[in-house]
């Protein structure tokens, strides 16, 4: 049933989204546990099991039954370009009895797998091509708005298995790698852009500390955060400044920690949500962007230009202005991404080069500028779902200890990479 | 003879994530025998301190994984230095700073006890 | 140290062959007057392949920034850590970049803004790759 559809809003001028305010987030659910990795033994803690657990929680949250679900839009592997995280379980290791007799359910989870395991009888539309969570929600919002389904289950898996992932033992550099691997180029790309940023704006890596420390503090208040569950103590400036370098100026504490968890959302029409349990969060817009560097490497100029294009597209699509955004959640999968997105969107009037000054001021939850009130990936682990769940809960007024003191009526969330992003705008009102 | 033992946590100590085979009893025994004992891990320093505090152990040092050189400088009168861990990063950190190195699977056998016995 | 060796393909072979002759070449689209590196099957601007030619460069550039790799995912490089990762912008078209480890430059002492000149180093018995050295 999955088929290629042109759903992305990535060509300017995008115009106001045709389904603005007519599609909503009606529920959210998470696997109870967020693990560092799957242990390869516990069949109740597989990625598939966690996605099913999250889907049931999301349906309970929205107050719907399995019969109500007529669509499943998921991101099989949780990553860009439809990859799954890390290496595959097979073929070097044996698979298990059904339903774990293939990768599906272990390192990625398709809509078909979910439908079968959950025995959802009325599913008419399935699509497993959602990529990262922002694109995923955008895709789901578009298919619901277009009428392909009405009550859409939107699971998001993010898995991790044992071993150091992405390790490359090859002495042959083929394809794109022939231009980078002979010089050992890799995460140095992020370090290089930060180096250019620091030179251009007269800042340095130490000035990232207030942001990362605050994200950890916020994340400890989210029950599904890896850190809340496994390392519940405060993360300090001293901790940050003593982080091991990965690729200067990127330390281990600028890199998100891979974890194993499942999440799920219910996306439906505003009309249908009237009968559901939670106050709906209206989706005002989704927009996407993807860029390729002019030559070998993404530069700071590229990064600023690309994020500017995405920000303008997002504002054009939602009809919002920077001053309309109360809750702002820019991705931090490498912590440095946040400053590029923040400056592009100009939230709270932040201009290019001002992110570190902004974060050195009051960015606490109870202050005027609670950026990433959910804690981001730095504060929760690499689930990415806090970038949907936290804005949603802030707008619904049910973020508990994380609830911000400022007005929370409009939220914008953006991720995953400056080179490959999607932005979503949410509101408490359809208008 | 003063011998310094640096323990990685995750994948090495029993309360790491994943758990390793080096038990806290082994660590306590090493402390009782007079080894200089601490942790060197990718965990934040505060997290390492909290771990030791929860065990009611006062470590001689905590360090990030790239800081073995600082540990060596802090205890420059020790006679021998050993780090143990489960990752290539542990092995290379040890090598770079002229520490002896035991893989986590070797460390489970408490090889440091032989150093005492041979003293 | 063994390092990953580029494996030329149909599109990149002229580039790597030129490296073996100690020449640094990039593609140019004669219709768009646009240089292109890494090489591609078509001009990214006009989409045509028929106007793509190879052009020898000045072999000079400027260091525009750098990183230092401490924990590479490329296992062959892990023995060398930490090492410089500089980005060089080509003199005649600064939007064209090359990577360099700046052999001989101490780790972290990368002179951003300095002029560099291409050099070639062997990564195997039959393949040279471009490297760069700071011009005094």
């Amino acid at each position: 049933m999955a088929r290629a559809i042109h759903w992305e809003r990535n060509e300017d001028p995008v115009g106001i989204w045709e389904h603005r305010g007519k599609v909503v987030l009606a529920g959210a659910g998470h696997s109870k546990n967020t693990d560092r990795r799957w242990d390869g033994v516990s069949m109740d803690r597989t990625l598939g099991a966690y996605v099913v657990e999250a889907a049931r929680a999301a349906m309970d949250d929205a107050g719907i039954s399995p019969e109500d679900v007529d669509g499943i839009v998921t991101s099989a592997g949780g990553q860009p370009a439809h990859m799954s995280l890390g290496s595959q379980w097979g073929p070097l290791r044996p698979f298990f009895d059904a339903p774990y007799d293939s990768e599906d359910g272990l390192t990625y989870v398709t809509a078909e797998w979910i439908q079968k395991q959950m025995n959802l009888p009325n599913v008419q539309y399935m699509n497993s091509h959602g990529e990262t969570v922002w694109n995923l929600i955008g895709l789901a919002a578009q298919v619901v708005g277009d009428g392909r389904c009405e009550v859409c289950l939107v699971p998001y898996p993010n898995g991790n298995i044992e071993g150091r992932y992405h390790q490359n033992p090859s002495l042959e550099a083929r394809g794109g790698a022939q231009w980078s691997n002979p010089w050992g180029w890799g995460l140095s790309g992020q370090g290089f852009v930060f180096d250019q940023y620091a030179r251009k704006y007269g800042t340095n890596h130490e000035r990232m500390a207030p942001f990362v420390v605050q994200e950890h503090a916020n994340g400890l208040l989210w029950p599904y955060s890896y850190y809340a569950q496994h390392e519940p103590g405060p993360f300090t400036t001293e901790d940050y400044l003593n982080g091991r370098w990965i690729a200067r100026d990127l330390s281990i504490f600028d890199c998100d920690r891979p974890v194993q968890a499942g999440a799920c959302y219910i996306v439906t029409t505003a009309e249908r949500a009237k009968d559901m349990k939670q106050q709906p969060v209206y989706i005002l817009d989704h927009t996407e962007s993807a860029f390729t560097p002019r030559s070998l490497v993404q530069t700071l100029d590229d990064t600023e230009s690309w994020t500017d294009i995405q920000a303008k597209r997002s504002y054009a699509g939602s009809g919002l202005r920077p001053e309309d955004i109360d809750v702002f959640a820019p991705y931090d999968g490498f912590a440095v991404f946040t400053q590029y997105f923040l400056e592009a969107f100009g939230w709270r009037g932040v201009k290019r080069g001002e992110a570190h000054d902004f974060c050195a001021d009051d960015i606490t939850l109870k202050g005027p500028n609670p950026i990433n009130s959910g804690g981001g990936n730095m504060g929760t682990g690499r689930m990415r779902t806090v970038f949907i769940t936290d804005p949603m809960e802030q707008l619904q007024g049910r973020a508990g200890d994380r609830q911000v003191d400022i007005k929370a009526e409009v939220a914008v969330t953006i991720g995953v990479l400056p080179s490959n992003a999607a932005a979503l705008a949410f509101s408490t009102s359809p208008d | 003879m003063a011998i310094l033992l640096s323990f990685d946590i995750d994948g090495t100590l029993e309360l790491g994530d994943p758990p390793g085979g080096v038990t806290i009893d082994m660590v306590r025994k090493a402390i009782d025998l007079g080894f200089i004992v601490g942790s060197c891990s990718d965990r934040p320093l505060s997290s390492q301190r909290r771990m030791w505090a929860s065990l009611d152990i006062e470590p001689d040092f905590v360090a990030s994984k790239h800081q073995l050189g600082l540990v060596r400088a802090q205890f420059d009168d020790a006679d021998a230095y050993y780090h143990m861990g489960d990752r290539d990063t542990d092995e290379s950190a040890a090598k770079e700073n002229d520490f002896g190195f035991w893989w986590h699977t070797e460390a489970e056998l408490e090889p440091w006890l032989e150093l005492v016995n041979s003293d | 140290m063994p390092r990953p060796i580029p494996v030329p393909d149909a599109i990149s072979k002229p580039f790597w062959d030129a490296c073996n002759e100690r020449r640094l070449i990039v593609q140019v689209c004669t219709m768009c007057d646009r240089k292109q590196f890494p090489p591609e099957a078509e001009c990214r601007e006009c989409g045509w392949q028929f106007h793509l030619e190879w052009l020898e460069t000045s072999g000079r550039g400027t260091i525009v920034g750098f990183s230092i790799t401490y924990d590479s995912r490329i296992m062959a490089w892990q023995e060398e850590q930490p090492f410089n990762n500089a980005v060089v912008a080509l003199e005649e078209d600064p939007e064209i970049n090359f990577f360099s480890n700046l052999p001989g430059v101490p780790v972290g002492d990368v002179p951003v803004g300095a002029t560099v000149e291409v050099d070639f180093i062997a990564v195997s018995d039959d393949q040279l790759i471009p490297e760069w050295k700071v011009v005094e």
Side-chain angles (χ1 to χ4, degrees), chain A residues 5-15 135 142 285-291 309-310 313-314 420-422:
Chain A
I5 54 169
H6 182 73
W7 64 274
E8 290 171 307
R9 286 167 41 77
N10 55 8
E11 288 173 23
D12 297 321
V14 288
N135 302 63
Q142 190 66 43
D285 182 45
H286 70 89
T287 48
E288 290 75 28
S289 58
F291 304 94
I309 291 168
Q310 173 62 64
R313 190 172 292 164
S314 175
N420 181 355

Side-chain angles (χ1 to χ4, degrees), chain C residues 18-84:
Chain C
C19 285
N20 283 346
E21 297 165 4
R22 297 184 173 273
R23 293 185 305 121
L24 186 71
I25 62 174
V26 296
Q27 282 179 323
V28 62
C29 174
T30 53
M31 194 157 83
C32 301
D33 191 24
R34 180 181 179 276
K35 294 180 189 68
Q36 189 161 279
F37 179 80
E40 295 178 38
E42 299 154 349
C43 168
R44 219 197 281 165
E45 192 77 15
C46 66
W48 287 94
Q49 54 177 298
F50 308 113
H51 308 284
L52 279 180
E53 295 178 1
W54 290 98
L55 178 76
E56 185 155 354
T57 71
S58 64
R60 289 171 68 88
T62 306
I63 299 172
V64 293
F66 73 102
S67 177
I68 305 165
T69 295
Y70 284 77
D71 194 348
S72 176
R73 292 166 171 175
I74 304 165
M75 294 170 81
W77 273 99
Q78 289 170 354
E79 282 280 304
E80 295 297 305
Q81 293 166 177
F83 56 88
N84 289 325

Side-chain angles (χ1 to χ4, degrees), chain A residues 249-303:
Chain A
D249 283 320
L250 202 69
S251 87
I252 194 165
F253 298 128
D254 298 309
C255 304
D256 56 355
R257 202 164 188 182
V259 297
Q260 165 103 349
C264 185
Y265 302 93
I266 306 296
V267 174
T268 187
T269 61
E271 193 56 34
R272 187 71 186 264
K274 284 177 183 166
D275 302 328
M276 295 185 187
K277 211 160 77 181
Q278 304 298 339
Q279 177 193 329
V281 168
Y282 296 89
I283 300 175
L284 299 185
D285 182 45
H286 70 89
T287 48
E288 290 75 28
S289 58
F291 304 94
T292 307
R294 168 81 170 79
S295 179
L296 266 185
V297 66
Q298 175 184 333
T299 63
L300 177 64
D301 283 348
D302 291 331
T303 306

Side-chain angles (χ1 to χ4, degrees), chain B residues 5 12 19 27 35 47 49 54 64 70 81 87 93 100 103 108:
Chain B
L5 301 179
T12 301
V27 176
F35 287 91
S47 170
R49 289 192 195 107
S54 74
S64 292
L70 297 179
Y81 304 82
R87 289 283 171 94
W103 286 102
E108 291 169 25

Side-chain angles (χ1 to χ4, degrees), chain C residues 106-126:
Chain C
V107 173
D109 280 357
V110 176
V112 175
T115 302
V116 285
E117 222 168 51
V118 73
D119 196 1
F120 291 89
I121 63 167
V123 290
S124 68
D125 289 344
D126 52 9

Side-chain angles (χ1 to χ4, degrees), chain A residues 10 47 97 163 181-182 218 232 239 311 345 362-363 369 388 419 428:
Chain A
N10 55 8
L47 195 55
D97 291 341
N181 291 13
N218 297 354
D239 290 334
F345 277 77
D362 185 357
I363 56 169
N369 305 315
I388 305 301
S419 60
T428 53

Side-chain angles (χ1 to χ4, degrees), chain A residues 369-417:
Chain A
N369 305 315
I371 187 170
N372 279 350
S373 43
N377 278 20
M378 291 304 125
T380 67
R382 186 189 291 160
M383 283 177 279
R384 304 198 176 109
T385 43
V386 78
F387 287 92
I388 305 301
T389 304
D390 182 67
M392 181 181 173
E393 291 184 347
Q394 295 289 354
L395 266 52
Q396 291 170 321
R398 55 170 180 155
D401 290 342
R402 284 176 295 106
Q403 188 68 43
V404 295
D405 273 1
I406 57 165
K407 172 169 71 76
E409 294 176 358
V410 171
V412 166
T413 178
I414 166 89
V416 63
L417 309 171

